[in-house]
Amino acid sequence: MSDVENQIQQWKHALSSLDTVKDSDVREMEDHLREEIAHLRAAGLTDQEAFLVARRRLGDLASLEEEFAKVNASERLLNRLWWMVGGVFALMIANCCSQMAGQAATNASLAMKWSVNAIAVSTILSQAVVFFSVTAFSVWLIVRRVNEAGRHRVWLPTRRMVVTGLILMLILPAAAFAANILSAWHLATSMGPESYNRLVLARTPGMIIWPLLMPILLISILAIISRRARRRASTT
Amino acid sequence: MPVSKDLVAASATPLILSILAQGDSYGYAIIQRVRELSGGQMQWTDGMLYPVLHRLEKQDLIESYLDAAETGRQRKYYRIKKSGTKALAEHKSQWLLVHNTLQQLWEKRPCLT
């Protein structure tokens, strides 16, 4: 690969790493850059000179990013919303894990005392259903994003956001775990085995349905918004 | 004397619409045409043209399509739409109004005193 070709590739790489510039924008400007280089070379400049002048005429990256941000704002927002929904799912999974563990621990200790194995089995099963359903939705979401990555640029979260997300995912489920164990233990000991059994069975459907509905609702809303935005973009 | 940045930015839309009204075109050719017509006095930062083109596309004034360029690469061409022709007529009357107003002020008037 020639020197100039290398530099063009580097320039393209820098341009496509900008948050607001889409792949189609990069292709359009690459065509522009190459035509300008050919034009300048025909006028007598060397390859290297032609590249430098053409790149300078296109403008520096910072101002390009700013100008493109004005037209690509809605795409960027949607992209971020998709990532936020992914984060909500991840949090739900972590929460389900902690609830499962908390419920299992309470039930195990209650089972030793009262031999209420049925409760343990039913609650752990319900939590497992929730856990696998949320996992399935998350996998679906990731597949969707990966598919879209081929057509659109994907906005990637910064390192700071990932770290904050991970810390939140550790702290919140840990707090939920502690609260769950304490409240379950308190309820179980103050109510007695039979009423506790009824309570757990009564709230099981809710615990399954809500985490199942929430991803469907969130994804449907986002899908509708995205499709509208895309339709508007393609008809204009 | 190069034209000021503000004036270049303000005239971008009517310039693009006028060039496209004469026939379909693409980014590089539009910039070359402006350079040629202004004798090199209207210098755009080339990259700024594309966000403007995309905004006009979003506003439904122009549309784009891909076609093979003579180099063999895919190139994005732009075409003016009916609404764009209407918008151009409006731009034209506004610019002519500004032009006429300034011209009257700058004309040499006989001294009455």
Side-chain angles (χ1 to χ4, degrees), chain A residues 43-104:
Chain A
L45 266 66
T46 66
D47 283 6
Q48 188 63 34
E49 289 166 345
F51 170 75
L52 290 174
V53 173
R55 188 184 64 182
R56 200 186 148 76
R57 280 194 180 163
L58 263 171
D60 61 291
L61 294 179
S63 39
L64 282 178
E65 182 173 28
E66 204 176 295
E67 288 300 313
F68 273 103
K70 291 176 192 163
V71 276
N72 291 344
S74 60
E75 280 93 341
R76 190 160 57 145
L77 181 69
L78 266 179
N79 216 340
R80 289 189 175 179
L81 277 177
W82 274 103
W83 279 99
M84 282 176 204
V85 169
V88 170
F89 287 166
L91 195 63
M92 282 170 74
I93 291 174
N95 201 27
C96 279
C97 285
S98 89
Q99 278 198 5
M100 263 164 72
Q103 197 69 50

Side-chain angles (χ1 to χ4, degrees), chain B residues 25-64:
Chain B
S25 192
Y26 61 97
Y28 184 75
I30 293 174
I31 285 192
Q32 285 302 97
R33 186 105 173 85
V34 172
R35 214 171 264 162
E36 218 175 90
L37 289 172
S38 68
Q41 298 299 313
M42 282 194 74
Q43 282 285 1
W44 286 2
T45 313
D46 296 7
M48 304 307 163
L49 169 74
Y50 293 99
V52 180
L53 279 170
H54 299 170
R55 198 182 61 233
L56 293 177
E57 205 180 347
K58 275 193 177 165
Q59 290 170 345
D60 211 21
L61 301 181
I62 61 177
E63 60 189 351
S64 67

